[in-house]
Amino acid sequence: MTTLIGPSEKQVDFILTLLSERDIEAGTADEMRENLPAMDKRQASDLIASLLKLPKLPRVRRPNPTQEFLAAIQKSKYALPVSHINHLDLDFEIHGDLLFVEVREYMGTLYMRRLTGSLGGFTRHKLSVHDVIDLAKVIASNQYLYAKTFGEHYSCCGSCGAELTDPTSRSLQLGPECRKKFGF
Ligand SMILES: [Zn+2]
């Protein structure tokens, strides 16, 4: 004979999960939790069936932790000398003496990508959340320096990569539109 006394552990776990995920009044959910030990297996399975019919609560979307750090710097390309970042515990290895990154916005979200390859044909690599935050902090300490370093390395506008045709642009290493972003 199968005993009907008390719900199984599996049933209890499932009911507790459902109570936290389904759209149910908090007071009612508390009452169900309290009554759980007094239920038999059949009542528990009936309860599961009725909870499964309830709509799921919308998932809480966590705010993206990188956004406030990326919002503090310009949307631009940057080159960071390795000596400026070798105190950081980065999740990737840097080859060469400069790290190239780009900050840009896509559909309302700011992204930082690591760039490898050459101008016009960059490969963009994802960075971990903690790398993005650490690198954004370093960039924020001297944004113009790092944009300019990018421009110097590639002989172009440090911010967008455009060719620089006039002497002022070349001396700043920023084109006429991009230098406004950096306050020139
Ligand atoms: Zn530019």
Side-chain angles (χ1 to χ4, degrees):
M1 256 186 76
T2 48
T3 170
L4 286 175
I5 300 163
S8 73
E9 228 178 284
K10 250 187 159 176
Q11 286 180 315
V12 171
D13 283 349
F14 194 36
I15 289 168
L16 293 177
T17 305
L18 288 171
L19 287 175
S20 67
E21 287 177 354
R22 301 288 161 149
D23 190 3
I24 181 166
E25 212 197 308
T28 313
D30 285 343
E31 214 172 290
M32 286 174 178
R33 275 187 210 100
E34 276 171 38
N35 292 340
L36 212 47
M39 283 183 184
D40 61 34
K41 290 191 174 60
R42 184 160 303 149
Q43 288 171 324
S45 84
D46 288 346
L47 177 58
I48 289 170
S50 63
L51 287 173
L52 282 170
K53 287 181 196 142
L54 294 174
K56 280 190 182 179
L57 287 171
R59 285 241 207 130
V60 182
R61 288 200 66 184
R62 287 166 190 277
N64 184 336
T66 62
Q67 295 306 288
E68 60 170 305
F69 296 95
L70 293 177
I73 57 179
Q74 297 302 322
K75 284 166 262 179
S76 173
K77 295 183 173 70
Y78 299 99
L80 292 98
V82 167
S83 60
H84 292 211
I85 51 174
N86 56 15
H87 63 287
L88 302 174
D89 179 23
L90 297 169
D91 292 330
F92 60 93
E93 268 185 62
I94 304 165
H95 306 283
D97 55 349
L98 290 169
L99 169 69
F100 301 99
V101 300
E102 179 183 39
V103 175
R104 63 174 176 179
E105 190 174 341
Y106 180 68
M107 296 187 56
T109 303
L110 295 163
Y111 295 89
M112 182 192 287
R113 293 284 189 257
R114 182 165 64 92
L115 303 174
T116 57
S118 53
L119 203 59
F122 282 122
T123 305
R124 291 170 168 81
H125 307 265
K126 274 186 94 165
L127 293 162
S128 69
V129 167
H130 106 108
D131 283 356
V132 169
I133 293 171
D134 283 353
L135 293 169
K137 285 181 188 167
V138 172
I139 292 169
S141 72
N142 202 340
Q143 313 191 43
Y144 172 55
L145 169 72
Y146 299 121
K148 185 169 171 264
T149 306
F150 183 96
E152 282 164 355
H153 183 84
Y154 285 103
S155 305
C156 64
C157 171
S159 186
C160 71
E163 201 183 326
L164 300 175
T165 49
D166 68 283
T168 314
S169 299
R170 268 190 234 112
S171 72
L172 290 168
Q173 211 67 56
L174 290 171
E177 283 307 309
C178 288
R179 59 180 172 253
K180 288 179 200 158
K181 299 198 284 191
F182 291 89
F184 290 100

